[in-house]
Amino acid sequence: VKNGLGRLAAAAKNYNFNSSKPIVAYHGTSTAVWNEIQRNGLRPGKGPEYVDKISGHSEHLVYFSSNVNEVRKYAVRAGQGKGSVVLEVTIPDPSKIVFDEDNFSKIAKIPENVKKELAARLYAAFPNEFDSVSEALSGFDAYGWYNIKNLVSSATTKEQIHVFQLISNYLIKSGAVTFGYKGNILPQHIKVIELFKSTATSDIDKK
């Protein structure tokens, strides 16, 4: 189990901090917002309000995905049929990447031995939230993330934040996931790769 966590930590460290290869991700928005982004870049708290935002957490982040098709759907939602934009962004400071609570829906892909160690870390970091390590482990299945997603916004200690960083960086390394970025991103790191109009996310699946 400890070796599993070691591989997880090594993957996160190598991917984010020891690699010279830049992290490139995508962001979907509206053409109206793009006009402001060209002047001021991407800034936390400047996006539209959605029902899936977590108060006290989401507004402090800019969200990205490594999956451009997923980002197109966010762009459709933002554009509301008036104009959507897909941006390609080079992440300037990987240390500012923050766990995105939506990644819990993909967490079933993590090897079981790593899940168990992370559950133990989660239980130790949030002793008042779980009765046992087994209860914490239940949050790592495909649907149990709903039970612990709000812990992301309450993570304040170094140990709490570190657990979510390990999970997030592992998922970014392994495939298509979303993640948050705590900071501003200047216009020189951003470019448009798609402009389109659509009112239905089903149109995206045809691309």
Side-chain angles (χ1 to χ4, degrees):
V1 173
K2 290 183 179 179
N3 289 337
L5 183 65
R7 288 194 298 272
L8 177 69
K13 184 177 181 181
N14 290 337
Y15 182 72
N16 271 328
F17 304 107
N18 291 347
S19 174
S20 59
K21 184 178 180 181
I23 298 174
V24 175
Y26 305 96
H27 179 83
T29 188
S30 67
T31 52
V33 174
W34 167 236
N35 292 329
E36 180 182 345
I37 292 173
Q38 291 180 83
R39 296 189 300 271
N40 301 312
L42 286 163
R43 295 180 294 170
K46 294 298 180 181
E49 292 297 322
Y50 296 120
V51 295
D52 52 351
K53 281 191 172 183
I54 297 179
S55 179
H57 175 70
S58 299
E59 64 266 29
H60 300 301
L61 305 173
V62 180
Y63 284 92
F64 300 94
S65 176
S66 56
N67 184 334
V68 69
N69 212 44
E70 183 175 2
V71 164
R72 289 188 184 110
K73 296 178 181 180
Y74 286 110
V76 168
R77 181 171 73 167
Q80 299 180 340
K82 298 178 181 179
S84 300
V85 183
V86 175
L87 305 176
E88 182 181 277
V89 180
T90 301
I91 303 300
D93 185 353
S95 69
K96 293 183 179 180
I97 288 175
V98 177
F99 184 83
D100 178 5
E101 63 280 356
D102 287 344
N103 286 332
F104 274 115
S105 63
K106 303 178 179 75
I107 223 163
K109 298 178 182 178
I110 294 179
E112 286 300 316
N113 62 327
V114 178
K115 287 184 191 177
K116 290 177 181 178
E117 180 62 29
L118 287 172
R121 296 285 290 272
L122 191 67
Y123 173 66
F126 296 93
N128 297 324
E129 300 293 335
F130 306 101
D131 292 330
S132 64
V133 174
S134 295
E135 184 181 357
L137 182 62
S138 69
F140 286 85
D141 63 41
Y143 301 100
W145 69 278
Y146 286 104
N147 297 326
I148 56 176
K149 64 178 291 187
N150 287 331
L151 292 181
V152 177
S153 60
S154 62
T156 54
T157 70
K158 183 177 180 180
E159 184 177 17
Q160 291 170 348
I161 294 170
H162 185 56
V163 170
F164 292 126
Q165 283 182 328
L166 286 176
I167 298 170
S168 185
N169 287 303
Y170 180 86
L171 292 172
I172 292 170
K173 176 69 175 179
S174 63
V177 294
T178 57
F179 59 91
Y181 185 85
K182 194 169 186 176
N184 299 337
I185 297 182
L186 298 177
Q188 59 260 38
H189 298 293
I190 305 165
K191 68 178 182 179
V192 172
I193 60 171
E194 290 182 15
L195 286 165
F196 61 94
K197 287 185 178 181
S198 177
T199 58
T201 56
S202 58
D203 294 341
I204 301 303
D205 298 324
K206 301 174 185 177
K207 287 184 177 287

